[in-house]
Amino acid sequence: MSATSENSRSEAGPLGADTTGLDQTRRKAVTSLSVLVPVYNEQYLVQTSLRRLQILAESPLLERVKIIVCDDGSSDGTAEALSSLRSALDIEDVDPKLSWTWLRHKKNSGKGAAIRTALEQADTELVVAHDADLEYHPSDLLPMVELFLSEEADAVFGSRFMSGGYKRALFFRHALGNKLLTFLCDLVCDLNLTDMETCYKMVRTDLLKSIPLESATFDVEPELAIKLSKRGARIFEVPISYSGRTYTEGKKIGWTDGVRALWAIAHYAFSDRIYVADEHGGEILERMNRAPRFNKWMADVVSPYLGDRVLEIGAGRGNLSLHFMPRTIYWATDVNPQYLDYLLTLRPTRPYMRVAYTDAEKFETFPREQGFDSVVCLNVVEHVPDDVGALRNIWSTLEPGGRAVILVPSGPNLFGTLDEVLGHCRRYTQEQLADVAQQAGFKVEEILKFNRPGVPAWWLNGRLLRRKTFGLAQIRLLNLLTPLFRLIDRWLPLPPLSIIAVLQKEGREQRSPEIEAATRSESGS
């Protein structure tokens, strides 16, 4: 597959380090939208369909609209129709907040493939697909946009079966098949969607780009619904109108697409490939989250050492955070923007919770307005080159007498491919961890050994077989066996897979800001 692109822009910036900005609601007065239009053999309808999108520029809710058209290797006169429209738009007085990008596949690859190609050019806050026929009405996109502005939605689906819109009466058996597919998808997702197969699925762009879309054809619809659900997205539905067309009028979806959708629902029900590979190892960490009993075990070991005002560094998707809450104050922080966005969705029912970007190596990103009696930092310190500097930053943010709980991987001889792909700089001995903590100013209260049963599996996968991920079956087996592991852990004659240091900031006056700055400068943090 190949595509050519013109008139593409990018204005997305990196996530800022302001620790208060993320904790604010995402509600805004206006937003921006990219409309992805996959086109295949629609020479008679495509110009009218695209012209109808111009209504979006009239909305005060949208400060910018980018329409990205991908001709998916059409074999009729679609390419000529698009060229004619493009020439007309070049000489017309088009609203300046409306821009167009034109792409083309050399050969037909399917709707899902065309959406992936168009998505690469999206640089707005929201994105939605729009079919190139006349079955959907772009005016229905505006109530969907409004939900993002008022309800902090992650995704909004336009439902053809909710009351409120209108639809053309057609194809009873087709509608039954649609409802069956939606029912099966709902079983997998544990949602109550009314129209999984809808084309109008509006999603936050950064979220959608972080999801690996694999489907090439119409099975992209169940794939997207299932993966959004597995990512914990806040999904809403609104009624939309629908002017379906007959097969003689050009309708393309058929019974074979229904079979593909059934296969897709079954396939993605068991898949945990819901993160694009990134420097944070999110796709691997997500697989580890398939072992909730193991997470509960770790949380039960750590929780007794935490106070009432807690800062968590490296909270991820909050799988352990939820076990540590409620507390009087709980700050969940991370450096991964996708994790931070998800953590924000946990806040509405947890008024004591705060969310912030915090980099363990950069003290300026630590929360300043809150004093903490506890810092919990699990599987983070091994990722940073300057571990002493990171612990000094944690020391500095704690109140005198406060406590830090630090979990790191144990056993330098176990370092292998799994550590490399996770971005580990090192594994620790107990003596090494104690030395690093003392250099940072902490008193070592206790060092706990954790998860001896996990050592054989880690050695087998990371050292002997040199794998770069755990198999899903292994994770499920871990979850199944965790109650047994909890019972036998202390009795096994094996070294631990992890060690947990319970550290105290002894009750003395804080160092001056000048000394703190000098210390951080010397440590390179």
Side-chain angles (χ1 to χ4, degrees):
M1 180 197 339
S2 64
T4 56
S5 171
E6 304 94 5
N7 190 33
S8 62
R9 296 179 293 171
S10 176
E11 59 184 27
L15 185 66
D18 176 22
T19 59
T20 59
L22 282 173
D23 198 41
Q24 304 301 316
T25 177
R26 290 190 301 226
R27 295 176 186 174
K28 312 170 51 176
V30 294
T31 187
S32 55
L33 175 67
S34 288
V35 184
L36 316 181
V37 188
V39 185
Y40 178 66
N41 287 354
E42 292 289 359
Q43 61 177 326
Y44 303 113
L45 301 182
V46 66
Q47 289 194 16
T48 302
S49 178
L50 293 174
R51 287 282 190 185
R52 287 165 63 169
L53 291 170
Q54 291 178 290
I55 192 176
L56 298 175
E58 302 174 9
S59 172
L61 302 177
L62 294 170
E63 59 185 356
R64 185 163 70 89
V65 179
K66 183 174 186 177
I67 301 172
I68 306 168
V69 183
C70 183
D71 180 1
D72 187 30
S74 296
S75 57
D76 64 354
T78 295
E80 291 75 15
L82 291 174
S83 179
S84 174
L85 175 61
R86 182 176 176 183
S87 297
L89 292 171
D90 287 341
I91 62 176
E92 291 179 10
D93 185 20
V94 179
D95 192 303
K97 71 179 183 181
L98 188 67
S99 66
W100 299 79
T101 297
W102 309 90
L103 310 169
R104 176 173 171 78
H105 287 165
K106 291 183 179 180
K107 65 178 182 179
N108 178 243
S109 303
K111 178 179 179 179
I115 286 176
R116 289 199 301 271
T117 296
L119 181 61
E120 293 175 1
Q121 303 297 323
D123 59 4
T124 53
E125 295 181 39
L126 307 177
V127 64
V128 69
H130 171 75
D131 284 346
D133 51 36
L134 301 178
E135 293 188 331
Y136 289 84
H137 302 265
S139 58
D140 288 329
L141 294 174
L142 298 179
M144 298 171 69
V145 170
E146 190 172 350
L147 270 176
F148 285 93
L149 299 175
S150 62
E151 294 294 339
E152 302 183 38
D154 293 310
V156 178
F157 292 6
S159 172
R160 297 163 293 177
F161 303 120
M162 292 178 68
S163 59
Y166 63 83
K167 66 179 185 294
R168 181 180 176 182
L170 283 173
F171 302 127
F172 172 72
R173 290 185 294 275
H174 183 90
L176 281 182
N178 194 313
K179 291 179 179 179
L180 172 62
L181 292 174
T182 298
F183 170 75
L184 294 174
C185 188
D186 283 348
L187 282 179
V188 169
C189 299
D190 193 24
L191 296 175
N192 59 346
L193 297 172
T194 62
D195 188 6
M196 174 274 293
E197 286 283 356
T198 179
C199 168
Y200 274 180
K201 294 181 175 72
M202 190 177 293
V203 187
R204 288 192 296 104
T205 304
D206 57 351
L207 172 59
L208 186 56
K209 285 191 172 185
S210 74
I211 295 175
L213 296 179
E214 306 166 61
S215 301
T217 59
F218 288 97
D219 49 346
V220 70
E221 306 297 356
E223 177 190 6
L224 182 54
I226 291 171
K227 289 187 174 181
L228 283 170
S229 171
K230 289 187 175 184
R231 285 287 295 268
R234 287 167 52 86
I235 303 174
F236 292 77
E237 282 189 305
V238 297
I240 61 172
S241 302
Y242 181 64
S243 300
R245 57 180 177 169
T246 65
Y247 288 99
T248 57
E249 293 170 326
K251 189 174 188 68
K252 296 183 176 65
I253 192 168
W255 68 268
T256 56
D257 295 295
V259 174
R260 288 193 188 96
L262 285 172
W263 177 90
I265 292 171
H267 174 70
Y268 295 117
F270 294 98
S271 172
D272 62 349
R273 191 165 180 258
I274 60 175
Y275 278 94
V276 171
D278 58 24
E279 69 275 20
H280 307 292
E283 73 283 2
I284 299 175
L285 296 177
E286 180 58 32
R287 177 159 287 186
M288 293 299 296
N289 290 334
R290 291 292 194 96
R293 291 176 176 174
F294 181 81
N295 291 333
K296 179 66 164 56
W297 177 23
M298 185 184 297
D300 287 346
V301 172
V302 170
S303 189
Y305 296 96
L306 302 182
D308 289 326
R309 289 168 286 114
V310 179
L311 167 65
E312 182 181 7
I313 298 174
R317 284 167 48 86
N319 294 286
L320 287 165
S321 314
L322 295 175
H323 293 294
F324 298 144
M325 294 186 275
R327 304 277 171 170
T328 302
I329 291 291
Y330 196 96
W331 282 69
T333 73
D334 207 281
V335 296
N336 187 330
Q338 299 304 325
Y339 291 161
L340 292 169
D341 281 334
Y342 180 78
L343 290 170
L344 284 170
T345 69
L346 303 179
R347 282 211 59 213
T349 57
R350 298 170 178 85
Y352 47 82
M353 183 181 178
R354 303 291 183 268
V355 177
Y357 173 96
T358 298
D359 185 335
E361 291 190 283
K362 299 176 181 178
F363 186 70
E364 64 272 15
T365 66
F366 278 61
R368 304 292 184 88
E369 63 272 29
Q370 176 66 54
F372 297 102
D373 59 23
S374 307
V375 174
V376 58
C377 185
L378 310 178
N379 289 316
V380 173
V381 174
E382 67 273 15
H383 291 270
V384 300
D386 182 12
D387 51 358
V388 174
L391 288 179
R392 280 177 178 161
N393 291 334
I394 292 173
W395 187 97
S396 296
T397 204
L398 276 169
E399 296 177 342
R403 180 183 278 157
V405 183
I406 311 296
L407 182 145
V408 295
S410 176
N413 60 326
L414 291 174
F415 195 96
T417 52
L418 290 172
D419 295 280
E420 292 170 359
V421 76
L422 283 169
H424 292 174
C425 297
R426 66 194 75 81
R427 300 182 72 90
Y428 291 83
T429 65
Q430 294 182 61
E431 295 74 19
Q432 288 169 339
L433 181 57
D435 181 62
V436 168
Q438 289 165 353
Q439 288 184 57
F442 281 107
K443 173 187 175 183
V444 180
E445 285 189 18
E446 192 174 358
I447 293 185
L448 309 173
K449 298 177 181 180
F450 179 74
N451 189 19
R452 295 171 182 84
V455 169
W458 192 275
W459 178 84
L460 176 67
N461 285 278
R463 294 283 293 178
L464 183 62
L465 301 178
R466 300 193 62 78
R467 289 176 174 169
K468 295 186 177 181
T469 186
F470 281 109
L472 187 55
Q474 289 178 301
I475 299 300
R476 288 176 173 160
L477 183 62
L478 169 64
N479 190 56
L480 178 66
L481 295 177
T482 291
L484 174 63
F485 290 171
R486 294 185 69 157
L487 290 175
I488 67 175
D489 185 32
R490 69 176 64 185
W491 308 110
L492 284 180
L494 291 172
L497 190 62
S498 300
I499 49 178
I500 303 171
V502 182
L503 311 175
Q504 186 180 44
K505 178 176 181 175
E506 295 184 284
R508 60 176 184 256
E509 292 187 2
Q510 291 273 16
R511 290 177 284 186
S512 70
E514 292 79 9
I515 295 177
E516 291 287 358
T519 302
R520 291 194 300 274
S521 177
E522 291 172 2
S523 67
S525 62

